[in-house]
Amino acid sequence: MVPEQAASGLDLQQLSLWIGRKQILHELSLSFQAHQVTAIIGPSGCGKTSLLRSMNRMMDLVPEARVQGRLLLDGQNIYDPALELAELRRQVGMVFQKPNPFAKTIFENIAFALRLHGVRNKRQLQDRVELSLRNAALWDEVKDRLHSSAMALSQGQQQRLMIARALAVDPRVLLLDEPASSLDPISTLKIEELIQELKHSILIVLVTHNMQQAARVADQTVFMLQGRVIEVGSTEQLFTNPQSQQTEDYITGRYG
């Protein structure tokens, strides 16, 4: 069980994004609540991943990217120049579509992240690594091979290792970009069960092309099209009684 943490809220206020002269996101205003999973759905190229990357300032790595508007984490604008970027990314963790473990042992994949944030005590490192793996529902599968290469894990296990690595530094928000898109059904189920468990202690934003997955795990769903929010609401309402014809066309397969 993941320990209860302070509730967090994430609020977008008129957030726009440009890469060079091309506008990617158009004045998005959204609220993400603690203890909820919000799924972001929409066709490829609609801005889902760009939005996710804007939420922990990964777009800072794109030289021509420019953000306008505000994104508040518990009332603090994460685009405030005075905010330390490393601390922001500790608080707002991100897991990518393809697992990217270091070419190190399972243990070191997590310990490395902890050392970056000042954890040096050997016993504390051991305890935090174990807790992170337990929180990612991976401990029982790897506890006897912690000093084996992470590259030998299955893809589904590697993805849970990436979640464990993000959880190790006690984030308040977890951003998941298509975390199960390349996994088999059993591994996908484990990731979905993990998401449902984690939401009790952390705010989760999930980008997915899989609408069935969104329906299974999300409390709130956002439908995006061409860099704009078309509709947002409870997942049940959006999938059973969409208010926008564009939303209905997309979820029934008529969009294209």
Side-chain angles (χ1 to χ4, degrees):
M1 178 71 72
V2 180
E4 289 293 326
Q5 302 175 24
S8 296
L10 199 58
D11 294 291
L12 279 64
Q13 299 179 348
Q14 300 293 302
L15 188 77
S16 295
L17 168 69
W18 289 262
I19 297 179
R21 295 182 178 181
K22 183 177 180 180
Q23 188 166 2
I24 308 299
L25 302 176
H26 298 261
E27 298 183 346
L28 306 187
S29 293
L30 290 166
S31 291
F32 303 90
Q33 302 302 318
H35 312 307
Q36 283 193 351
V37 178
T38 297
I40 303 176
I41 64 171
S44 297
C46 73
K48 302 186 300 296
T49 293
S50 294
L51 171 57
L52 212 63
R53 288 171 177 261
S54 297
M55 292 167 73
N56 75 343
R57 288 184 56 180
M58 287 203 68
M59 297 306 296
D60 287 17
L61 301 173
V62 180
E64 294 186 316
R66 177 170 60 90
V67 172
Q68 183 175 300
R70 284 156 52 92
L71 202 161
L72 306 178
L73 176 61
D74 290 343
Q76 181 179 18
N77 184 14
I78 72 166
Y79 281 92
D80 185 336
L83 183 64
E84 185 180 346
L85 203 52
E87 175 59 17
L88 168 67
R89 290 181 182 156
R90 184 195 68 78
Q91 295 185 50
V92 185
M94 186 164 178
V95 175
F96 300 93
Q97 179 176 351
K98 184 178 179 181
N100 58 338
F102 303 137
K104 297 176 178 289
T105 66
I106 295 166
F107 182 91
E108 282 299 322
N109 262 270
I110 298 175
F112 180 83
L114 290 165
R115 291 192 189 99
L116 281 179
H117 292 277
V119 180
R120 295 285 187 270
N121 180 273
K122 184 176 179 180
R123 180 65 185 180
Q124 190 177 8
L125 278 171
Q126 291 173 338
D127 290 345
R128 293 278 292 274
V129 168
E130 178 177 344
L131 178 61
S132 300
L133 289 168
R134 286 188 182 277
N135 288 341
L138 190 56
W139 173 254
D140 289 341
E141 297 171 40
V142 303
K143 62 184 179 182
D144 296 324
R145 47 178 174 148
L146 293 177
H147 300 290
S148 299
S149 172
M151 309 307 289
L153 295 173
S154 70
Q155 194 167 23
Q157 289 173 325
Q158 286 184 9
Q159 192 64 296
R160 280 182 285 147
L161 181 63
M162 297 304 90
I163 293 174
R165 193 164 74 190
L167 294 175
V169 294
D170 297 325
R172 292 188 286 166
V173 177
L174 187 61
L175 309 175
L176 302 174
D177 187 7
E178 296 275 1
S181 64
S182 59
L183 303 184
D184 62 84
I186 293 175
S187 297
T188 296
L189 177 61
K190 288 182 178 180
I191 294 288
E192 291 179 2
E193 289 175 341
L194 178 57
I195 290 170
Q196 290 291 78
E197 178 65 27
L198 291 174
K199 79 172 186 179
H200 297 295
S201 61
I202 195 168
L203 188 159
I204 297 177
V205 183
L206 167 71
V207 161
T208 181
H209 278 102
N210 187 328
M211 288 182 284
Q212 290 76 26
Q213 182 174 82
R216 286 192 296 265
V217 305
D219 302 288
Q220 174 178 255
T221 296
V222 177
F223 172 53
M224 290 183 63
L225 196 60
Q226 297 178 341
R228 294 177 169 85
V229 170
I230 303 301
E231 186 168 348
V232 56
S234 74
T235 299
E236 181 179 8
Q237 175 267 312
L238 189 139
F239 278 101
T240 60
N241 186 29
Q243 302 303 297
S244 165
Q245 184 63 49
Q246 290 172 299
T247 307
E248 182 172 353
D249 288 347
Y250 181 72
I251 64 177
T252 57
R254 293 195 295 270
Y255 175 82

